Amino acid sequence: MKIILIFLFIALLALSARAEKDFSALDSAASPETKSRFAMLDDVRILANGLLQLGHGLKDFVHKTKGQMNDIFQKLYIFDKSFYELSLQTSEIKEEEELLRQTTARLQINNEEIKNLSQEMNLKIEDLIQNKIQLQEKVWGLEDKVTKLAITQPTVQETNEISSLKAFVERQDNHIKQLLKIVEDQHAQLDKQHNQIMELEDKLNHIELQELAENSFTGEHTEPEATPFFLRNSTAVTYKYEGAAPDCTALYNSGIQTSGTYTIKPNGSEAFDVYCETKFGTSWTVIQNRVDGSLDFNQTWDAYVKGFGDLNEEFWLGLNKTYSITQQGDYILRIELQDWKDNKRYVEYAFNLGGPETDYTLQLSRISGSIPNALPEQTELRFSTADHDLAVINNFNCPENYLGGWWHSECEETNLNGKYVAPRSKGRLDRRKGLYWKPKKGRYYLLKSTKIMIHPTDLKSFD
């Protein structure tokens, strides 16, 4: 481009010089035709000047474009360098995670070996205790002999026998003390190994929780369907009512077939508002709904009994209201779960809910579902909160540590009324204070939303 501009510039200069020369030679004898030619030369000179200015403009444009391209190349170089550094950091994180898993596996193996060694030591201790008992019996026998010797002068043989037994007893005592010290050292080492394993498990759980948005429900196999326990009445529930309906299903059957907030009046109970959700050709009564963590579920016992929240947003209907509905017949409990990649799963149970005298004890039997079960079946699960925990297991207050009221049998990890925790939030996540679904044999599912609904057993179709 530069060469073309140079040639163009030289050509214009040559043309301009030649025109001036011709003009000076012919100026004296200029005729009308010659003057016409001079006018044409003036036009050529103007054109040449214009082309010269155009060349300068093109030259400036080329310099400007070259500078912009240099800036682009420099930015691309910085981007490539940043991407490469990010790739190296990602590789280092993966290597550290793999090393952490390998270390955890080795510590678990060491833990098993230490447990086996501890069991062997316990057996030896039991043997030593038996030997000690035998020695005590021998000592008692010696005391009897010493008593007799106090009366009669012992012989040389008896004196030697007493000295020998005393030396034997001292050796056995020293041996027992040494073994006890070894056992104490082994227990200390076992406790240290156990603490290390717990710390590594916490680190692994923290890494897994940060990856829960990626390790979602997708690809999970469903658990085989279980057989429900015996229901009080296997026939469909038939309602005869005047005024308010006894539940959402009755409202649907009466012609109100849109999801929303309505007033119901269960048999033998006062009227109250509920949220009815229409699906599967019927209507379900919603007893719990969580979508965004806007409502604090760490409430008192009285709040869980009466209910709290907004029926059109997040809420807990209330144990007393739920109990009054379920006393009208046999009901199905449906739990709907959604993870942080918007994958949805569900599980349905036949259930029985006790009254206030049983702390609203819950019994479950799985009917169907698309996720492994995380709630104990055929077991009385007592509802408890931090200020009303009658089911203390090994002096461990479950609701106080897990936050939110729930049906507990032994402090399970699953608690759909726990603290709402989003993935990759600042600070270290505490697995005991999140909204999780945790099968007994399986990993944690960090949840984005949950919904618990009930319906009479006359439902003819399931999801």
Side-chain angles (χ1 to χ4, degrees):
M1 188 67 183
K2 290 182 179 180
I3 295 173
I4 294 172
L5 291 174
I6 292 170
F7 278 116
L8 182 60
F9 178 71
I10 294 172
L12 290 173
L13 290 177
L15 183 61
S16 177
R18 184 176 179 181
E20 289 178 358
K21 182 178 180 181
D22 293 339
F23 179 77
S24 61
L26 299 175
D27 187 33
S28 59
S31 63
E33 294 179 358
T34 305
K35 291 181 180 181
S36 175
R37 291 179 182 177
F38 287 159
M40 292 175 64
L41 288 174
D42 290 336
D43 294 338
V44 169
R45 183 177 296 173
I46 293 170
L47 178 61
N49 290 331
L51 292 174
L52 183 60
Q53 293 177 359
L54 178 61
H56 285 298
L58 289 174
K59 183 178 180 180
D60 294 337
F61 176 75
V62 168
H63 283 296
K64 184 178 180 180
T65 304
K66 184 178 180 181
Q68 292 176 348
M69 291 181 66
N70 289 332
D71 292 339
I72 292 173
F73 283 129
Q74 186 175 6
K75 291 179 180 179
L76 286 174
Y77 173 76
I78 294 172
F79 174 79
D80 291 339
K81 185 177 180 182
S82 300
F83 182 77
Y84 176 73
E85 292 176 353
L86 183 61
S87 300
L88 291 178
Q89 292 177 358
T90 303
S91 300
E92 291 176 357
I93 291 173
K94 290 183 178 179
E95 291 175 358
E96 290 177 358
E97 182 180 350
E98 184 62 27
L99 290 174
L100 189 60
R101 294 182 186 276
Q102 293 176 0
T103 304
T104 303
R106 288 196 300 269
L107 287 175
Q108 288 177 343
I109 294 173
N110 292 338
N111 190 21
E112 291 297 328
E113 293 177 353
I114 292 173
K115 286 182 179 179
N116 295 333
L117 181 60
S118 178
Q119 291 177 356
E120 293 177 359
M121 296 300 296
N122 289 333
L123 293 175
K124 291 182 178 179
I125 290 173
E126 291 178 357
D127 293 338
L128 290 173
I129 291 173
Q130 293 295 330
N131 292 334
K132 186 176 181 179
I133 293 172
Q134 294 176 0
L135 288 173
Q136 287 178 346
E137 293 177 351
K138 292 181 179 180
V139 169
W140 293 336
L142 288 174
E143 288 178 351
D144 293 338
K145 291 182 178 180
V146 169
T147 303
K148 293 178 180 178
L149 289 173
I151 299 173
T152 61
Q153 187 67 25
T155 62
V156 176
Q157 183 179 359
E158 290 175 342
T159 302
N160 293 335
E161 183 180 355
I162 292 172
S163 300
S164 176
L165 287 173
K166 285 183 178 180
F168 178 74
V169 170
E170 289 177 356
R171 288 196 301 271
Q172 289 294 331
D173 284 339
N174 292 331
H175 186 54
I176 290 172
K177 290 178 181 179
Q178 291 175 359
L179 288 176
L180 288 174
K181 187 177 184 303
I182 293 173
V183 170
E184 290 177 357
D185 293 339
Q186 292 292 338
H187 278 295
Q189 185 179 0
L190 182 62
D191 291 338
K192 183 178 179 181
Q193 294 284 349
H194 179 71
N195 292 333
Q196 291 178 350
I197 291 173
M198 291 297 293
E199 291 178 359
L200 289 173
E201 286 180 350
D202 288 340
K203 291 180 181 178
L204 286 175
N205 287 329
H206 179 55
I207 294 173
E208 291 176 357
L209 288 175
Q210 289 184 335
E211 297 174 350
L212 278 175
E214 300 174 0
N215 298 333
S216 58
F217 291 138
T218 305
E220 291 294 333
H221 298 287
T222 59
E223 197 177 55
E225 296 186 0
T227 303
F229 63 80
F230 180 76
L231 299 174
R232 295 189 299 268
N233 182 7
S234 60
T235 60
V237 179
T238 302
Y239 297 108
K240 294 181 180 179
Y241 55 90
E242 295 179 359
D247 66 2
C248 291
T249 307
L251 278 173
Y252 184 90
N253 294 334
S254 68
I256 302 175
Q257 300 181 354
T258 304
S259 298
T261 303
Y262 300 97
T263 301
I264 65 171
K265 187 179 185 303
N267 297 335
S269 173
E270 296 180 354
F272 53 85
D273 292 337
V274 295
Y275 186 86
C276 300
E277 179 160 327
T278 300
K279 58 174 28 179
F280 314 135
T282 185
S283 184
W284 296 70
T285 305
V286 182
I287 66 173
Q288 186 250 42
N289 188 43
R290 303 193 71 178
V291 292
D292 55 12
S294 58
L295 179 63
D296 185 8
F297 271 67
N298 189 22
Q299 301 284 339
T300 64
W301 172 263
D302 291 338
Y304 271 98
V305 171
K306 297 176 182 178
F308 53 88
D310 187 342
L311 291 176
N312 292 310
E313 297 179 1
E314 291 196 335
F315 69 90
W316 173 261
L317 181 60
L319 294 167
N320 193 40
K321 296 174 184 176
T322 304
Y323 174 71
S324 65
I325 296 173
T326 58
Q327 290 309 293
Q328 302 175 114
D330 298 322
Y331 277 75
I332 295 169
L333 179 73
R334 179 182 175 91
I335 300 176
E336 295 184 349
L337 309 172
Q338 182 179 6
D339 65 16
W340 286 88
K341 294 195 73 176
D342 295 331
N343 297 309
K344 297 180 179 180
R345 293 290 183 269
Y346 80 97
V347 62
E348 290 176 349
Y349 299 95
F351 78 102
N352 181 26
L353 181 65
E357 68 280 358
T358 67
D359 288 330
Y360 300 97
T361 299
L362 180 68
Q363 285 184 294
L364 298 171
S365 180
R366 182 186 174 102
I367 297 176
S368 64
S370 57
I371 190 172
N373 192 27
L375 297 176
E377 297 184 68
Q378 312 295 349
T379 303
E380 290 188 354
L381 307 177
R382 179 174 293 178
F383 197 91
S384 54
T385 61
D387 64 331
H388 187 87
D389 186 21
L390 301 180
V392 179
I393 308 300
N394 296 328
N395 295 324
F396 187 80
N397 187 301
C398 304
E400 183 177 350
N401 287 274
Y402 283 75
L403 301 179
W406 191 245
W407 286 282
H408 292 283
S409 64
E410 54 176 29
C411 298
E412 303 84 3
E413 300 291 351
T414 298
N415 181 0
L416 302 186
N417 288 335
K419 182 180 179 181
Y420 194 90
V421 177
R424 303 186 185 276
S425 60
K426 293 183 179 180
R428 183 170 182 173
L429 299 177
D430 189 343
R431 63 176 182 170
R432 294 180 177 178
K433 295 183 180 179
L435 187 61
Y436 304 106
W437 184 264
K438 174 62 173 66
K440 190 170 185 180
K441 294 182 179 179
R443 59 182 178 83
Y444 291 83
Y445 295 95
L446 181 61
L447 302 176
K448 180 181 180 181
S449 66
T450 65
K451 184 178 292 182
I452 305 176
M453 307 180 292
I454 59 175
H455 188 285
T457 55
D458 60 355
L459 183 62
K460 296 181 180 179
S461 62
F462 298 98
D463 184 19

